[in-house]
Amino acid sequence: MFIEEELKEKAKIYFNYSHKHMGDALGIEFQHVAKNKIVATMPVDENSVQPFGVLHGGASVALAETLCSVGGWFNLDDIQKTVVGVEINANHIRSVKMGGKVTGTAQPVNVGRKIQVWECELRDERDKLVCTSRCTLAVINRPRD
């Protein structure tokens, strides 16, 4: 996995949480972590398909929001802050059968002090567009443990 040099210490925090989360349930694996680009893969398996054996649109949206939110968090300088999704849309372009894999790439459109906007594309193993999404994030104080 590539991690931008200035984000390596922060990455230790993110990638070493002791509890499981949705990304674990969906098998999301990060490939590239940088302030201007986040890339991860997700298998199309029993955890991410609809009953007819193709990628569930909700799983696509979960991957997109995960990538955008992680990217948003890595763009924060204050460790006491985090980001949360306030709006997301998605256009589902083509299906992916069970046994496949999608790769998501999220990039910032605008990184502000209170609001961030990110775009994310999901592509299949043939590099065909599967889903395109835009996510708006709010910067908030991190909840205390």
Side-chain angles (χ1 to χ4, degrees):
M1 168 183 8
F2 170 83
I3 300 174
E4 192 172 48
E5 190 62 39
E6 70 177 275
L7 300 178
K8 286 189 175 182
E9 286 302 312
K10 200 168 187 182
K12 287 178 187 175
I13 295 168
Y14 183 82
F15 292 111
N16 290 310
Y17 273 110
S18 60
H19 63 275
K20 295 219 178 264
H21 50 79
M22 184 178 281
D24 295 317
L26 291 173
I28 295 171
E29 294 184 3
F30 287 85
Q31 309 297 317
H32 184 102
V33 176
K35 283 191 168 191
N36 66 348
K37 183 169 77 169
I38 303 290
V39 179
T41 60
M42 181 178 74
V44 180
D45 62 15
E46 66 278 354
N47 294 322
S48 61
V49 296
Q50 47 143 290
F52 302 106
V54 295
L55 179 61
H56 192 292
S60 293
V61 172
L63 174 58
E65 186 162 350
T66 297
L67 294 175
C68 294
S69 295
V70 169
W73 184 77
F74 274 107
N75 272 274
L76 298 175
D77 293 328
D78 185 350
I79 199 75
Q80 299 306 313
K81 301 278 185 185
T82 193
V83 296
V84 292
V86 293
E87 191 276 335
I88 189 166
N89 67 33
N91 297 105
H92 305 291
I93 309 300
R94 73 174 21 87
S95 63
V96 180
K97 293 179 184 177
M98 187 168 351
K101 178 172 67 171
V102 291
T103 299
T105 302
Q107 295 181 293
V109 173
N110 185 67
V111 176
R113 289 183 309 111
K114 294 186 179 190
I115 294 287
Q116 296 186 19
V117 178
W118 286 70
E119 291 180 335
C120 185
E121 285 189 348
L122 306 185
R123 294 187 173 270
D124 66 14
E125 292 167 294
R126 297 173 301 148
D127 201 35
K128 299 285 188 183
L129 185 64
V130 171
C131 177
T132 183
S133 179
R134 181 179 285 239
C135 185
T136 303
L137 307 169
V139 178
I140 65 167
N141 291 324
R142 199 169 144 191
R144 296 179 192 264
D145 294 331

